[in-house]
Amino acid sequence: MKLREPFTYFIDRSLGRGLVVEALRAAKLDVHAHDDHFAQNTPDAEWLVEIGRRGWVVLTKDKNIRVNALERLALVRANVACIMLGRGDLTAPAMAQVFVDALPLIRRVLRRFGLPLAASLSSGKSLRVLLADGEWLKPPKELK
């Protein structure tokens, strides 16, 4: 199953409520911040289920979602599309720019691959698809 367009984006608390949200809204996207819907301490495994139910795309810099067994399982069971920033040490303006610059590539991946979907976005403008149609890809599929 693939997500319907237009896509709605959910900004995980790891990216904050500021510049990333503002930059994506300035790009005319439908964007929701974590804190607008969930308490700060809501476990990822809980909010992932709700975001999957809503059919929203998760944008995050939280690498635990792809390495923590419970969160990986929640991501698959929730049937979400999750785009993870490969580097979490970027400044807020740099993170915002990476996501905005990658929007055409993100859309292409969302149109091409089915749910659940997980991909890692590099600051070099490539996207590594780690999970597609519920299958963990070995090796990941890299798109530029």
Side-chain angles (χ1 to χ4, degrees):
M1 178 180 106
K2 294 182 183 160
L3 290 174
R4 291 185 182 169
E5 294 186 55
F7 303 118
T8 299
Y9 297 87
F10 175 80
I11 308 303
D12 178 28
R13 68 178 170 257
S14 67
L15 294 173
R17 299 174 52 109
L19 288 173
V20 174
V21 172
E22 293 167 12
L24 294 171
R25 285 182 178 154
K28 306 290 187 229
L29 300 179
D30 184 7
V31 177
H32 297 268
H34 175 279
D35 292 355
D36 292 339
H37 299 274
F38 303 98
Q40 269 284 320
N41 61 351
T42 303
D44 292 348
E46 287 182 30
W47 62 255
L48 279 167
V49 170
E50 181 58 24
I51 296 311
R53 188 185 68 71
R54 294 179 187 184
W56 294 354
V57 179
V58 174
L59 300 182
T60 186
K61 69 174 185 177
D62 181 0
K63 292 182 180 160
N64 286 332
I65 289 177
R66 74 173 178 232
V67 296
N68 178 290
L70 284 177
E71 293 182 17
R72 281 175 60 129
L73 184 59
L75 186 142
V76 171
R77 285 186 175 165
N79 211 35
V80 298
C82 182
I83 309 296
M84 297 165 273
L85 193 58
R87 288 184 51 196
D89 62 343
L90 300 173
T91 64
M95 289 188 291
Q97 194 61 54
V98 169
F99 279 116
V100 169
D101 289 348
L103 284 172
L105 183 57
I106 291 170
R107 286 186 194 108
R108 195 169 106 212
V109 165
L110 293 172
R111 289 174 183 138
R112 180 173 171 185
F113 296 98
L115 299 176
L117 169 69
S120 178
L121 177 62
S122 78
S123 53
K125 299 180 184 145
S126 70
L127 199 57
R128 287 179 46 226
V129 179
L130 309 168
L131 168 73
D133 296 302
E135 298 291 328
W136 293 96
L137 306 180
K138 294 186 186 201
K141 177 117 176 115
E142 186 156 349
L143 298 150
K144 294 184 180 199

